[in-house]
């Protein structure tokens, strides 16, 4: 008997929504309209006002500049930044980050990590006998 082939439907990815609003609806809103749906920490930062560097960054995003570099890791990602590529300083170099849809109302610094992952090797030259012990797994 021949096996019956099952036709699988392609998996449909759900459209991103934030508190019931699509990304298109969020991008059309003004900053004052976004305040009630922002998380409280982001809302407080926006109400207290952005720093001069953060205002300059926002102006560059709105003007449509191609290459944007910033040290402002504390800038909140607004819906108008989604899809843009921004170089964020991590303390040593600029990391190029494309802002994802899921990053709305997060901070830029969350996407450019400042610490690297360390993997320790075996003991080096001149190490004591006890420190040369590396367990075999």
């Amino acid at each position: 008997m021949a096996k019956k082939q099952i036709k699988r439907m392609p998996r449909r990815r759900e459209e991103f929504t934030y508190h019931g609003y699509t990304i298109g609806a969020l991008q059309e809103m003004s900053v004052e309209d976004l305040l009630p749906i922002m998380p409280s920490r982001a809302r407080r930062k926006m109400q207290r006002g952005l720093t001069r560097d953060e205002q300059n960054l926002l102006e560059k995003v709105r003007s449509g500049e191609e290459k944007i570099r910033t040290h402002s890791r504390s800038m909140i990602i607004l819906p108008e930044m989604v899809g843009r590529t921004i170089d964020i300083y991590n303390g040593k170099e600029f990391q190029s980050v494309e802002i994802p849809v899921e990053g709305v109302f997060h901070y830029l610094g969350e996407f450019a990590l400042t610490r690297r992952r360390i993997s320790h090797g075996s003991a080096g030259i001149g190490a004591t006998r006890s420190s040369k012990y590396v367990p075999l797994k």
Side-chain angles (χ1 to χ4, degrees):
M1 235 179 174
K3 284 189 174 181
K4 190 176 182 182
Q5 287 190 356
I6 300 172
K7 186 176 181 181
R8 295 188 182 204
M9 298 296 291
R11 183 175 253 183
R12 190 176 67 112
R13 190 165 179 213
E14 287 188 28
E15 188 177 2
F16 175 79
T17 59
Y18 187 86
H19 289 266
Y21 296 98
T22 62
I23 191 66
L26 289 173
Q27 288 174 339
E28 292 172 4
M29 291 182 180
S30 67
V31 176
E32 289 77 29
D33 295 336
L34 289 172
L35 286 176
I37 59 173
M38 277 185 182
S40 60
R41 186 75 189 105
R43 185 180 329 120
R44 184 167 191 261
K45 180 178 178 65
M46 296 302 284
Q47 287 174 337
R48 296 183 90 187
L50 299 175
T51 63
R52 189 176 305 132
D53 290 338
E54 293 168 346
Q55 289 173 353
N56 291 340
L57 173 64
L58 200 54
E59 288 173 11
K60 287 180 184 178
V61 169
R62 289 179 176 158
S63 70
E65 279 192 36
E66 297 257 340
K67 187 160 181 129
I68 300 174
R69 299 178 100 191
T70 184
H71 284 251
S72 300
R73 298 172 54 81
S74 62
M75 177 64 183
I76 293 171
I77 296 174
L78 298 174
E80 56 198 280
M81 296 180 183
V82 171
R84 302 294 306 270
T85 301
I86 300 176
D87 294 342
I88 305 168
Y89 194 67
N90 69 356
K92 184 176 181 182
E93 59 191 14
F94 286 93
Q95 286 186 345
S96 187
V97 176
E98 185 174 343
I99 306 299
V101 178
E102 293 82 13
V104 175
F105 303 131
H106 285 260
Y107 292 90
L108 284 177
E110 295 179 40
F111 296 97
L113 300 179
T114 58
R115 296 183 179 100
R116 279 187 291 196
R117 188 173 183 89
I118 297 175
S119 61
H120 296 285
S122 58
I125 298 172
T128 60
R129 283 278 171 215
S130 61
S131 65
K132 285 187 176 182
Y133 172 73
V134 177
L136 300 173
K137 208 164 192 183

